[in-house]
Amino acid sequence: MYPGMSYFVKVLIALENSHALDLNIIQLHICTHLSSTARMSDSGCDWIKAWETNDIGFHQQNVNQGLLSHADQMINGRENIKIFLPLCGKTVDMKWLWDKGHTVVGVDIARKAFEDFFKEQTISYSVRPLPNGEGEIFTSDDNKIKLYCCDLFKFNSSFDGQYEAIWDRGSLVAIDKSDRHRYAELMKSLMTKDCRYLLETLEYDETKFKGPPYFISQQNIKEFFGNTLQMCFLENKEIFSEEFTKWGIDSLFINMYLLSLK
């Protein structure tokens, strides 16, 4: 098993139980580490098995609070825009955005997550293999929800073009340090000129807890995106509870940012 996987699961479930954080922002993104090395190792099988056995206590049934609070800034008055959700799992955020008339595109490695999403949301869909043989695409009958079951780092603009918005509700905080610039380049390559990128991160004392999910500072964001994107800080919200003391931390915050091309 991947060295941090079972521990990461415990972190997620504890966060979920605390009701402090909508943990579909994280979606057990240990799978990102698999994607970053383009491998389907035993831990990849463990991740898929978690979905197949419904061992998904980390999944949140409600729309992410950060999205509810800041969707207007991401959408910016536009109608029927195309929104990208990296490592989306079966988050209900997708249904919420779709209900508002937008086109939603997501990527995740767990096929069962997509099957569950369409079934639970009672949305008719079809499945077909990707032309490159790297996975499958799940498409709603109205063609406004497209979920790519594949390695995130093999996804690019040739799959479905670029996006007017990105909702990153935890992908970045799951990426290994060595792959963060690569991740940032991928996100930038998927942005249209008027794209608005809504990003949610976690803040804590990383000398006490190493992650994942990882602490991402404002300086980190400037380092990853500052050469081409401008950053607007939206919110800092404390979500710490006693549940987190077992990991040696004494504070925990959610930070929200809005990024756009300069």
Side-chain angles (χ1 to χ4, degrees), residues 52-198:
E52 292 177 344
T53 59
N54 204 38
D55 185 17
I56 52 170
F58 48 85
H59 177 70
Q60 171 55 253
Q61 299 298 323
N62 300 316
V63 177
N64 179 279
Q65 187 57 52
L67 178 61
L68 291 174
S69 298
H70 302 289
D72 286 347
Q73 290 153 294
M74 178 181 73
I75 294 168
N76 197 33
R78 298 169 294 176
E79 297 182 357
N80 190 27
I81 64 172
K82 190 165 63 169
I83 303 173
F84 180 62
L85 286 80
L87 301 176
C88 58
K90 64 173 184 177
T91 174
V92 297
D93 297 357
M94 297 188 289
K95 173 66 160 50
W96 188 80
L97 291 166
W98 179 71
D99 283 339
K100 292 185 173 297
H102 304 297
T103 296
V104 175
V105 178
V107 174
D108 203 290
I109 199 172
R111 191 180 201 276
K112 182 65 160 50
F114 294 165
E115 293 174 338
D116 287 353
F117 171 79
F118 284 107
K119 180 179 179 180
E120 292 168 9
Q121 304 304 326
T122 63
I123 300 171
S124 298
Y125 70 100
S126 60
V127 185
R128 60 179 173 83
L130 293 173
N132 57 12
E134 294 292 344
E136 297 174 297
I137 178 172
F138 289 64
T139 307
S140 61
D141 286 355
D142 67 357
N143 208 42
K144 295 193 70 173
I145 300 178
K146 300 178 182 179
L147 305 182
Y148 288 86
C149 185
C150 66
D151 183 332
L152 175 65
F153 281 110
K154 292 183 179 179
F155 186 84
N156 56 61
S157 60
S158 69
F159 283 63
D160 206 75
Q162 294 177 309
Y163 303 91
E164 286 84 17
I166 296 174
W167 170 217
D168 187 331
R169 73 237 177 281
S171 291
L172 178 57
V173 300
I175 300 294
D176 282 329
K177 186 174 183 180
S178 61
D179 288 309
R180 290 175 192 166
H181 284 285
R182 183 185 179 195
Y183 179 89
E185 290 304 312
L186 173 60
M187 294 300 109
K188 288 186 285 186
S189 74
L190 296 174
M191 299 174 69
T192 61
K193 291 182 179 180
D194 63 344
C195 180
R196 296 171 76 84
Y197 180 164
L198 185 62

Side-chain angles (χ1 to χ4, degrees), residues 204-224:
Y204 54 80
D205 186 345
E206 60 184 337
T207 66
K208 298 179 179 179
F209 177 62
K210 300 297 184 183
Y214 299 109
F215 166 56
I216 302 292
S217 67
Q218 287 194 35
Q219 184 57 42
N220 292 148
I221 296 172
K222 291 177 182 178
E223 178 187 352
F224 306 148

Side-chain angles (χ1 to χ4, degrees), residues 2 8 18 20 23 34 41 51 56 65 77 127-128 130 158 170 195 226 239 244:
Y2 181 82
F8 197 14
S18 76
L23 275 192
L34 307 177
S41 63
W51 281 98
I56 52 170
Q65 187 57 52
V127 185
R128 60 179 173 83
L130 293 173
S158 69
C195 180
I239 60 168
F244 304 114

